C-alpha cells in the first residue's frame, strides 16, 4: 500500500509523462516550435540543469559557429521527466527493494 507521499510522487511522475506526450503532439501538429534557443531552455529548466545535460550529452545542441544554439524541445522535456521518474524510483517505495537510479546524470 502506498502512503500519501508516495502517491504524491507518483502523481507528479504521471503529470510529467502527460506533459512529455503533450509537447510531442503539439510539436508534431505545428503548435509548438520543435527547437528552442539555449536561453529559452535556461528559463524553462534552469541553467545548471541544461548545461549539465549538454555536458553529459543527454541533449544535442544544434547550430553552427556564430549561430544561436538550438535545442530540441522534446529531448529537453523527456530528460526533465526522466529526472522526476528517477527521483520517484529512488524514493521510499523502492528503497527496500534495492532499486536505485543514478540521478547525477539527470539532474
Amino acid at each position: 500500500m502506498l502512503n500519501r507521499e508516495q502517491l504524491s510522487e507518483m502523481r507528479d511522475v504521471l503529470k510529467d509523462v502527460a506533459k512529455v506526450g503533450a509537447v510531442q503532439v503539439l510539436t508534431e501538429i505545428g503548435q509548438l516550435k520543435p527547437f528552442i534557443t539555449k536561453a529559452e531552455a535556461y528559463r524553462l529548466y534552469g541553467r545548471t540543469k541544461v548545461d549539465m545535460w549538454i555536458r553529459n550529452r543527454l541533449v544535442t545542441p544544434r547550430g553552427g559557429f556564430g549561430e544561436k544554439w538550438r535545442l530540441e524541445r522534446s529531448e529537453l522535456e523527456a530528460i526533465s521527466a526522466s529526472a522526476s521518474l528517477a527521483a520517484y524510483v529512488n524514493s521510499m517505495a523502492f528503497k527496500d527493494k534495492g532499486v536505485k537510479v543514478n540521478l547525477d546524470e539527470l539532474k
Side-chain angles (χ1 to χ4, degrees), residues 12-104:
D12 292 343
V13 168
L14 292 174
K15 283 182 2 184
D16 286 341
V17 169
K19 188 174 179 185
V20 169
V23 165
Q24 185 69 31
V25 169
L26 290 170
T27 301
E28 287 177 8
I29 64 171
Q31 294 298 311
L32 286 176
K33 295 178 194 173
F35 294 94
I36 61 175
T37 64
K38 191 174 174 186
E40 189 175 353
Y42 284 164
R43 284 191 296 275
L44 293 172
Y45 302 101
R47 183 181 202 98
T48 303
K49 287 181 183 179
V50 171
D51 285 342
M52 186 179 55
W53 294 340
I54 292 170
R55 187 174 52 252
N56 291 335
R57 298 184 179 173
L58 298 172
V59 178
T60 307
R62 290 161 178 86
F65 183 74
E67 296 178 353
K68 286 185 180 179
W69 277 14
R70 297 178 307 140
L71 302 169
E72 192 171 343
R73 187 186 299 267
S74 59
E75 274 185 357
L76 291 165
E77 201 58 50
I79 296 299
S80 179
S82 296
S84 296
L85 178 59
Y88 172 69
V89 168
N90 289 337
S91 71
M92 296 303 292
F94 293 93
K95 279 191 179 182
D96 58 340
K97 296 180 175 99
V99 176
K100 178 108 173 98
V101 175
N102 185 1
L103 284 170
D104 294 333

